[in-house]
Amino acid sequence: MKRTQYSVARVEIISTHLSEVIRDLRLVDVADYIAFIRCELFGNIADIVNSATELTFYPDTLIFGLGGEYTLDWNSSPRVMLDLEFSNMGVNAYFRLTLSAESAEIDLHHVRFADTGNSPADNTALLASAFEDARLPQFITPGKIG
């Protein structure tokens, strides 16, 4: 996607909402991701993504897009790229999450709005609302008293 002020803001929205999911995806060994991608066992990666999202998002709002790649060579740390899809409130976002030892990056490919706003800023606000609405309520367990 062409880099604009709106795409930068949209990537920031996605990144913010995926922080817990990224943390959970990093619990899986990078060798497992590479093996699953190399052997085209994308269902296994879909299960991992579903497990990583189940405590943060409602079911089927954030899913694995059945595509992925990796880079693995002698000169750098491994990188795993996973295609993800977000869908809620008539908003569909298609993006690639790149995980490495140093960072996690979002490459936004496309955003589709069933009902577009009056401006790109309205659409960006709609994306933020869709992510907020897709999040499960976070319950705080009260601690023991006395």
Side-chain angles (χ1 to χ4, degrees):
M1 177 175 267
K2 185 177 178 182
R3 189 174 167 93
T4 66
Q5 70 185 43
Y6 302 109
S7 65
V8 170
R10 292 171 185 175
V11 166
E12 182 61 33
I13 290 166
I14 295 169
S15 298
T16 300
H17 287 283
L18 288 188
S19 61
E20 297 98 342
V21 173
I22 291 168
R23 185 191 66 232
D24 289 349
L25 289 173
R26 287 181 182 275
L27 295 174
V28 176
D29 192 74
V30 69
D32 292 334
Y33 284 117
I34 291 170
F36 295 150
I37 293 169
R38 186 175 178 102
C39 296
E40 298 183 4
L41 299 172
F42 294 116
N44 294 2
I45 298 174
D47 288 342
I48 293 167
V49 171
N50 286 340
S51 293
T53 61
E54 69 186 358
L55 296 177
T56 307
F57 292 100
Y58 284 104
D60 300 323
T61 53
L62 182 65
I63 62 171
F64 177 60
L66 298 180
E69 295 179 40
Y70 65 89
T71 58
L72 181 64
D73 59 43
W74 295 106
N75 300 319
S76 62
S77 63
R79 293 168 41 102
V80 173
M81 290 78 78
L82 304 174
D83 293 337
L84 300 174
E85 299 175 8
F86 171 80
S87 179
N88 189 40
M89 294 175 48
V91 176
N92 298 88
Y94 305 92
F95 55 94
R96 176 165 274 193
L97 172 64
T98 301
L99 298 171
S100 69
E102 300 82 27
S103 66
E105 300 168 13
I106 301 288
D107 180 22
L108 183 59
H109 293 264
H110 180 70
V111 181
R112 186 185 66 79
F113 300 95
D115 297 316
T116 59
N118 294 328
S119 69
D122 290 344
N123 290 338
T124 301
L126 184 57
L127 176 68
S129 296
F131 264 98
E132 284 295 327
D133 182 69
R135 294 182 67 86
L136 291 169
Q138 299 300 309
F139 298 105
I140 299 173
T141 307
K144 284 188 170 181
I145 299 176

